[in-house]
Amino acid sequence: MMKELLLAALCAIVLTGCANEYLIVTNDGSVISTVEEPEYDEDSGMLKFEDDDGREQQIPKESVKSIIER
């Protein structure tokens, strides 16, 4: 029982360490937190990402000042 709890805790720590958070800073000063690296869609000119609530979002690339990995 103790081994299984220890293994589960270790897996949770490792998986947490692999998760990256990205901050999208827009030209108007807004900051959007994402759970994955935004992907640029050349056809639409939009950055696509998943927000903290798990919803798929898009923002025009021209509206983005910077993307910061945390």
Side-chain angles (χ1 to χ4, degrees), residues 13-64:
I13 291 169
V14 169
L15 290 175
T16 302
C18 294
N20 290 335
E21 179 183 23
Y22 291 84
L23 300 176
I24 300 172
V25 181
T26 63
N27 292 330
D28 67 3
S30 300
V31 178
I32 304 166
S33 178
T34 71
V35 294
E36 63 182 17
E37 183 173 8
E39 295 180 15
Y40 178 61
D41 181 2
E42 289 186 35
D43 294 332
S44 66
M46 304 285 273
L47 284 176
K48 296 181 179 184
F49 58 92
E50 185 177 314
D51 67 14
D52 287 340
D53 296 325
R55 296 179 299 213
E56 183 84 17
Q57 301 287 330
Q58 295 184 19
I59 187 170
K61 185 178 179 182
E62 300 82 36
S63 299
V64 176

